[in-house]
Amino acid sequence: MIPLLFSDPVGDDYGLGYAYPRAALFAEAGFADLTGFEALRKGEKVVLRVRLHRYPNPGNAPNGFSLASIGIYIHTEPGGQEELPGAGFKTPPGQGWNWAYLLTGWKAEEHRPDGSVQAVPVAKNGDWLELSPNLPPGDYAYYVAVGLYDPFTPWHFRPVRPGGGTWTIDGPADAPAAVDVLAQNQHQAYQSGVLHPTRAIQNRIPWAILSAALGVLFILLAFRFPRR
């Protein structure tokens, strides 16, 4: 398994220019702003780590935050479910999720496409929220999305509606409920409704440097020992 670490810009937690609900609870910025995601191998398990910009906890939730909902969806094999529940995005065809993890201030759960659900250990480690699922190591593809916590929706992502409201996000009809996602081009993801996965890629730069050096060496040798 190749260790994976991605950073996400600060201050991009507004989807397609969404306006947050008007309740004073949501006036504090940064609580749904994804700033980092990490997947590591620890023995024969995968450890998943998510970082938010801030962790206000007005609800005194046991996991140390209470205003955000985090979805981590993992593509481990061909096929999978192509709807990202809660977040409101679709995956590219054939790259659906086979494992998913829902993290809120009150719980951390593993979900499978067959509907099975089980609790997962979670801990706050410095600025990171750390999940320890029962997932074997592998070079997987990941979708990560953050929304505003809603206790009344199945995946606890607060919905988006035109005009918004005291407890509702203001945004276009049928827009994704996630306000921030891990993406190379977040604007394109929101425009299309399709979120492309992030995945670990073996670092090929040393090989490129070696190939270039060998090419230069061959040229020098050709001039030093010209063919007769």
Side-chain angles (χ1 to χ4, degrees):
M1 173 179 174
I2 304 171
L4 180 149
L5 173 61
F6 283 97
S7 296
D8 192 75
V10 174
D12 63 343
D13 51 330
Y14 289 93
L16 272 174
Y18 298 163
Y20 278 23
R22 292 189 286 273
L25 188 67
F26 304 107
E28 192 169 3
F31 66 84
D33 191 359
L34 175 68
T35 61
F37 173 71
E38 192 170 13
L40 302 171
R41 178 172 184 162
K42 190 173 183 180
E44 294 306 313
K45 302 283 182 66
V46 173
V47 173
L48 304 174
R49 306 179 76 214
V50 179
R51 184 179 62 206
L52 302 179
H53 184 49
R54 303 186 66 246
Y55 294 95
N57 192 11
N60 294 315
N63 290 335
F65 67 105
S66 56
L67 298 181
S69 294
I70 304 166
I72 304 172
Y73 315 82
I74 307 177
H75 175 70
T76 62
E77 58 188 84
Q81 184 171 317
E82 295 178 6
E83 300 281 344
L84 299 181
F89 284 89
K90 293 182 178 180
T91 74
Q95 300 183 56
W97 62 273
N98 313 99
W99 304 69
Y101 297 92
L102 172 63
L103 175 59
T104 73
W106 283 268
K107 63 183 179 181
E109 296 177 334
E110 177 185 278
H111 291 250
R112 299 298 302 274
D114 63 6
S116 61
V117 180
Q118 66 177 16
V120 176
V122 61
K124 193 165 184 290
N125 189 351
D127 291 335
W128 294 84
L129 299 167
E130 192 170 283
L131 288 168
S132 300
N134 190 28
L135 179 67
D139 292 323
Y140 305 137
Y142 299 86
Y143 305 91
V144 186
V146 182
L148 277 56
Y149 176 73
D150 187 336
F152 304 111
T153 59
W155 277 67
H156 304 302
F157 278 68
R158 194 165 293 274
V160 177
R161 295 193 184 94
T166 305
W167 302 101
T168 306
I169 301 170
D170 181 7
D174 301 320
V179 298
D180 197 4
V181 294
L182 188 64
Q184 290 187 341
N185 188 329
Q186 180 166 299
H187 182 74
Q188 183 181 41
Y190 276 95
Q191 288 282 3
S192 65
V194 176
L195 182 61
H196 288 267
T198 55
R199 62 183 77 231
I201 300 175
Q202 184 69 49
N203 187 357
R204 302 183 186 277
I205 293 177
W207 291 105
I209 294 173
L210 178 60
S211 297
L214 288 174
V216 172
L217 178 61
F218 291 149
I219 292 172
L220 292 175
L221 289 175
F223 281 102
R224 180 67 180 80
F225 303 105
R227 296 178 65 181
R228 299 183 183 275

